[in-house]
Structure formats: structure tokens, C-alpha cells
Amino acid sequence: MSKFFDQLTPELTEFIRAQPVFFVATAAPEGRINLSPKGMDTFRVLDEKRVAYLDLTGSGNETAAHLLHDGRITIMFCSFDKNAEIARIYGRGVVIQPSDERWRDLIANFPQLPGVRQVMEIRVESGMTSCGYAVPRMREMTARDTLEKYWTKRGEQAKEDYWQKHNLRSIDGLRTGMLEATSRTRR
């Protein structure tokens, strides 16, 4: 049976912190809906009404574009062990980039990882739990270090070059805010 919350409870926070993977869904008013899996110890509950996750450089930057143009975001956590449970956070998000004033405060919550692009900060509007009876049990879930190795090998300049080529616009042509952020950083 589903339970609804207007803020994160201690029990919900405990469940969220125990999950090794989460999923992020966003959409602009027009265009495609984006759904991305995330991991690597990059999610933080900041308080009962605020969460954030560390966004690493990847093939696209859809979430940033959608947050810039609309702000709506849903984050989902699934238990893949013996407990059949799902939790969702519904909220409004903003993109915090290294050139933003609040960057230092937010980045301090996360481990130092190569390929860091930005932090997504979400104001929690509501939360929900549901059964998850159809979610499979997974015997072993281990961290994948492929992305970390990729950016460690290539370095900071390659990351910024990648942003210029692949992260300035969404697949629907929306601005992601990366061009403006890299321009502010290089001044």
C-alpha cells in the first residue's frame, strides 16, 4: 500500500541512503521525457525538504536542460534485496555549477570524483513509498568504476572539451546552461 509524505521522514531517509542506485526523471513542457540511472555514492539527503545529487559528465545533459526550462523532477529508489519497496521523491530542481556561489557548500557533501559536471539540488514537494513486489531481487550489486576511470585517464581539459561538444544542448535542442557556466568559469 502506498504512503504519501510532504517531507522526508527518518524512515524514508534511511531507506534512500541504503540504495546503491537511483533513477532520475525529468521533462520540459515539450519534447522527450528523460529517465536516467545514477549511482556511485552521489545522492545526499540534505534535510527533510532538500536533497541533491552529484552529476558526473556523461553522454547527454538532459536533466540540466529540463530543470532550466521546467524544474520538475522525480527521483525513484528501488530495493533490489529482500525488502520489496520503492520510494519516490517529487520536487523542483535547480542546477548548481562550479561557477555558482553555492557550489562550495554543496560540493562539500560529496566524495571527490573525476568527471564532476554539476550538482542537482531538489526542493522536496512530496514523497511516496509503494510495494515494489514486481521488482526483482538481485543477488549481487557491485559498483562499476568505468566512468571514474574514463575521466581520471582523460583529465579536466578533455572533460571541458566534451561539454562543449556534447553537453550544451539537450536532444530536443534546449539549452543546458553549460555554455554560460563555462564562460563564467573561464573569465
Side-chain angles (χ1 to χ4, degrees), residues 52-55 94-96 103 106-107 110 118-121:
Y53 74 86
L54 184 62
D55 185 58
V94 294
V95 180
I96 307 297
W103 176 257
L106 280 174
I107 197 68
F110 300 98
Q118 54 215 355
V119 172
M120 306 306 192
E121 183 183 33

Side-chain angles (χ1 to χ4, degrees), residues 18 52 65-66 70 90 106 117 123 126 138-140 146 152 157 177 181 187:
H66 292 167
D70 184 76
Y90 303 98
L106 280 174
R117 180 168 51 191
R123 180 176 37 86
S126 63
M138 307 265 190
R139 286 196 174 94
E140 183 178 349
T146 309
T152 297
Q157 187 59 52
R187 283 186 204 155

